[in-house]
Amino acid sequence: MPRSVTIHFAVLSSLYFLLLSRFVNCNNGRRIGDSLDAELSGFSVPLEHSFEVDDVTNFRVRGALILKPGREQSVSLSQNQLSEEDRIKLKEVAAVDGLYKVRIPRVSLQADRMEHQMEGHLTAFVRACAMVESHLSDVLMLHTDVSGVLIAVSIVTIPGACRGTEVEDEVDLEVFNTTLTVMAPVSAPGPETAFFLERLEQETEKNRKNPQEQKSFFAKYWYLILGGAIFLMLSNSAQPPPGGAREQS
Amino acid sequence: MAKIILLFLKLLGVLYTAQAVFEDQVGKFDWKQQYVGSVRFAHFDNQIQSSKKVLVATEKNVFAAINTRTGELFWRHVDKAGPEGNIDALLLQGQDAVMVVGDGRILRSWEVNVGGLNWEMVLDSGSFQSASLVGHQEHVKYVAVLKKAAISLHYLSNGHQKWIENLPESDSVDYQSVYSEGKGEVFVLGLVPHSHITVVVYSIDDGEILKQFTVEAPWMSDLQSSCSVIGKGMLTCVDASSLSLNMLDLHAHSEMNQIPLQSIGLEASSSFRPVLVSSQPNAARPPLSEFFLQIGPDQHVLLQLNNGQILTLRDFKPAMLVSFATTGEKTVAAVMSPKNKTASSINLFSAETGRRLLDTTLIFTMDPNGGNPERLYVQAFLKKDDSVGYRVIVQTEDHQLTYIQQPGRVLWTREEALSDVVTMEMVDLPLTATQAELEGEFGKKADGLMSMVLKRLSSQLILLQAWVSHLWKLFYDARQPRSQVKNEVTIENLSRDEFNLQKMMVMVTASGKLFGIDSKTGTIVWKHYLDNVPSNAAFKLMVQRTTAHFPHPPQCTLLIKDKDTGLAMLHVFNPIYGKKSHVTPPLLPQPILQSMLLPLMDQDYAKVLLLVDNQYKVSAFPSTKNVLQQLQDVASSVFFFLIDADQGRLSGYRLRTDLSTELIWEVVIPAEVQKIVTVNGKKANEHVHSQGRVMGDRSVLYKYLNPNLLALVTESTDQHQERSFVGIILIDGVTGRIIHEAVQRKARGPVHIVHSENWVVYEYWSTKSRRVEFSVIELYEGMELYNSTVFSSLDRPHAPQVLQQSYIFPSAISAMDATLTEKGITSRHLLIGLPSGGILSLPKMFLDPRRPEIVSEQSREENLIPYAPELPIRTEWFINYNQSVSRVRGIYTAPSGLESTCLVVAYGLDIYQTRVYPSKQFDVLKDDYDYMLISSVLLALFFATMISKRLAEVKLLNRAWR
């Protein structure tokens, strides 16, 4: 029994998060030169990244986000491999604790407005060392507003910490292992009046069904009162007043 | 059944943690100060000689009577804020004060003795122009209200409308003033700018137009500011361009008669716009034929109109302010002229002759920390020998009222700037001189064993001496009745008390005047007026150095920013004494975008203030070598964010070692859909005692305590009640990662928000249900902590669990904050300022998203209150009992030295200070604690042990002998 609440709670919260993340699509990268045409049925926007030793920003294409029009907003990602040169550079940047930044253009995920690009980009960053130490496994999250326009992108790596472990194998830094999630705003709950009223009604119903509950004070506690009265009487009779004794004699 | 009763009892125990004030505690820990705001109209009640009342109507839409003996309020009426309650005119006639409110919407009459409402009339719509009392046959019976297109006459006795007439050609003529001299006629003066004046004469009896004529006046642009009626219906206007007086006899409609100022021997500079000051003591009679003409910033001339001729009675130079006053049949003119740098003198002159009246000099000493005099209100009265005596109220630029009597004694001052407090901080008081001596001993470098010992002995001696004198004072005070013990607060005896309950409140007001107020008594300890503050300034007050770093003085920095240009300046001062610091703040030539106080300190223990300008360059204050060195070391971990609410753009920057910045994240919330209203971080001085919450099954739910979390509130641009929404975005200020994004549909602002620990509470207006609702968001990491030693925004890959619940609140809200204590052990309460003037202390326990809908064994174990959609308002939760605080604008909370106690200041039109004990005074013995009993029991036990020990010994000895 004590467990059930926590489990219940955990289930609820996980459900909640499942509901939040409408669509998840993983793409384990592909060789350079692979045809992207198969997935180009939608509209694609570039995903760019930047990592430089001297902290300047220089965005290059990392892959493409493919937005598929339709009732369900769906986004998938196709990305290139990291080249030899980039791998070395990324490790260098990680060594000086530089930043790894990603950016996407501002677009709308809504089908009718998808082609319409807005000015500016959405940028996010993660420490380059975290990127290296996690072997390029990152989680990209796209946040939209109520009208389906992208408002933010966020990137975290799993694991997220920089422990200074050396990544020996170059192969680990070739392919991105990306989880992509689209998050729309949650509807905040209002006051739960309906449920509360229902519960109140149930309680009154229960009271009506159990007429015992509605008995008067005497009806409820007659046994206690009776018991008390008997006790009093007994104690009285056990100790007859001294005056009475004298009268009897 | 028994379970339910048990639960009920438990709940009762839980709910009644908030306590009310006992009757004898009223005013012991709290105080309230009432203000009225900057005065717009002031009239002395001259009806009775002995009257001691001045009636004021203010910019804050307050109508009040001030006691001239003490400066306190007799009564006060607070109208609606904003243009709806704006007081357009105040006319005083006998015991009645007639007021036009809300751009001519309402006409009210008040009885001035008790402040009761005589009557109130709703007027026809139309923008208000002017109002005037109208006399008829030596009696003032009516009030005339002039509007854009109509004039109406009302009875003074009951407010009923006698007549209303439309004004002729009101779409082309701008009617601006109304005048009557008690002869059965009302003159309405209108103007077509740069063309002509229109005069319409109405009959008082039936509103019939008796006369109507126009006079050419091609130079005139505004009637009210340049014209005045002098003597028997002579309209006198001053023309700034040709420097001449233009006169028009309203009775004999002739042409305007131009009299150049030079012809009456006056020299005026063309750069100054001359101003006329006239006086009409009685509405049933014509105005005085004497008037003042101001022809320079500090030059006034008293002129007289005599048979169409203008005579110069007296030339006052220099004279800053002039004013007429009438008592009985005598009218005098008061003139204020500068005496020296720090004082001005006021003198009375006979209005008819311009002669100076003997023994009427009054010296007004100007406060070096105040503003220049702005207006003069004179209360004249007849002395027993029939000479004229007077007292004055001087209003200065900093909204201060000073009431002075001859020869310069200040009877009282009112700091009306305090009606508009913008921001405040509470600063610990410094140590006393003896404590400082002790501290100083440790601060100094060691110089030999012997001298150290001597120094220690001497400081101990000083302490002993202080203690003895303190005991003596206690003994002395105890013998006197309580009322006679005076506790005057001055700068000298300000010192920290045992539990740090007394603090210095540093208040910044919109007028640019700063105040230091003792939190225990409410006494103003210091004030300082900054005269170069722009009218639309935004203020940010920061404590750079607290009092903890003796011998360095505490230091506060006020950032004053012009909202339009973004240009800012810094004012650095000592918060205890109010003195400007000798530290010169940097000049800021560029507009400032963001400021932040770093936890870094320079070698003098001043925290480093970083300012970001519009070139994204960062400057530090103080910017010593030491600071720059430290900044370089930590630069890679200094992040800041900028918010452009107009474009909905949020951007994050990282500091580089050369103090330039690097853009690292960008979030754009489209401004077409929703606009950012507020951004709320957490308080820097907040402590969270427990990392998690123990659940019913003894497991722990850990809180998500991100110090960099920002709560962003947006409101939809679409105001339609079905489509409007309020958005809440929780975003990490370092990484720009959106932690949670929620929309409250069918909701509208204004949104009040409190962000603390792991929760956000916000309040909004539900358009669907037409009520105020509260919502609470709590963030939890889950059953285990990711990294329990340190929190880093850069390394928290997992999103927190978000719980949310909403409630109905049965009242509107004007301000909200949460209690704050030293260590964060005490349970939290929300302090909610209501429009009714109450301040409600609502336990945070009621706003807990884990309140269960169905009660279970575990929720009972956790002391969770079962969910109920409506939040209760209990009368015992009002921390200010009957001390209503008008128009609460903000609530400030500060921890005290006692964990149980939180200091609260609510400010708005009034200021209210009190202490709250959210978990009762668990660390304080009660007032009525029986020390006698406990000590006698202890003593008795002690002796009993002694005796029984002795007895036991004797017994043992005896046994050994046996």
Side-chain angles (χ1 to χ4, degrees), chain A residues 1-6 9-10 13 16-17 20 54-57 97-99 101-103 106 113 118-127 130 141 143-147 149-163 183-197 199 213 220-221, chain B residues 1 5 636 639 649 654 656 662-670 672-674 695-697 699 701 725 729 734-745 762 764 771 773-775 780 783 786 792 794-808 850 852-858 866-869:
Chain A
M1 183 62 194
R3 262 293 144 85
S4 76
V5 163
T6 30
F9 174 67
S13 53
Y16 181 69
F17 278 95
L20 283 188
D54 47 356
D55 276 354
V56 290
T57 313
D97 196 17
L99 302 181
K101 297 178 206 163
V102 289
R103 76 169 188 190
R106 287 178 60 202
R113 290 166 52 191
M118 283 159 278
E119 226 173 273
H121 287 86
L122 306 171
T123 320
F125 76 100
V126 72
R127 287 164 80 188
M141 224 175 262
H143 296 268
T144 68
D145 72 351
V146 276
S147 59
V149 178
L150 284 187
I151 60 166
V153 60
S154 74
I155 178 170
V156 286
T157 59
I158 292 177
C162 281
R163 288 173 215 286
M183 300 272 266
V186 190
S187 264
E192 294 268 355
T193 37
F195 187 88
F196 183 74
L197 290 178
R199 208 184 65 196
E213 300 283 321
K220 264 189 212 166
Y221 301 110
Chain B
M1 184 65 202
I5 291 174
S636 64
F639 298 86
R649 182 180 298 273
R654 181 162 84 150
R656 286 191 186 143
E662 178 190 0
L663 177 72
I664 50 174
W665 58 264
E666 267 180 298
V667 169
V668 187
I669 299 166
E672 308 88 67
V673 183
Q674 49 191 332
M695 315 263 287
D697 60 355
S699 63
L701 185 60
F725 64 88
I729 299 171
V734 169
T735 60
R737 187 178 167 200
I738 292 185
I739 303 293
H740 181 65
E741 188 189 357
V743 282
Q744 197 84 47
R745 295 194 188 269
Y762 61 93
Y764 56 91
R771 64 191 175 199
E773 290 179 4
F774 258 105
S775 197
Y780 289 100
M783 290 304 165
Y786 178 76
S792 166
L794 296 171
D795 178 19
R796 282 279 139 154
H798 305 293
Q801 297 171 5
V802 183
L803 304 176
Q804 186 165 15
Q805 213 169 49
S806 298
Y807 314 88
I808 303 163
R850 302 189 61 251
E853 277 167 356
I854 298 158
V855 186
S856 69
E857 192 69 44
Q858 293 198 351
Y867 181 78

Side-chain angles (χ1 to χ4, degrees), chain B residues 250-320:
Chain B
L250 291 177
H251 296 289
H253 44 93
S254 53
E255 287 301 298
M256 277 208 139
N257 179 16
Q258 194 179 49
I259 305 169
L261 286 181
Q262 271 181 333
S263 72
I264 47 174
L266 296 175
E267 289 290 330
S269 66
S270 52
S271 60
F272 185 81
R273 202 186 144 87
V275 181
L276 273 172
V277 182
S278 69
S279 167
Q280 184 176 17
N282 188 341
R285 286 190 213 158
L288 295 181
S289 49
E290 291 81 19
F291 61 100
F292 273 110
L293 181 67
Q294 187 181 9
I295 52 176
D298 59 348
Q299 187 179 10
H300 289 79
V301 192
L302 182 62
L303 299 171
Q304 188 180 41
L305 180 74
N306 198 344
N307 296 327
Q309 295 294 311
I310 292 209
L311 303 174
T312 307
L313 291 181
R314 194 168 182 132
D315 189 355
F316 297 100
K317 188 180 181 180
M320 296 126 74

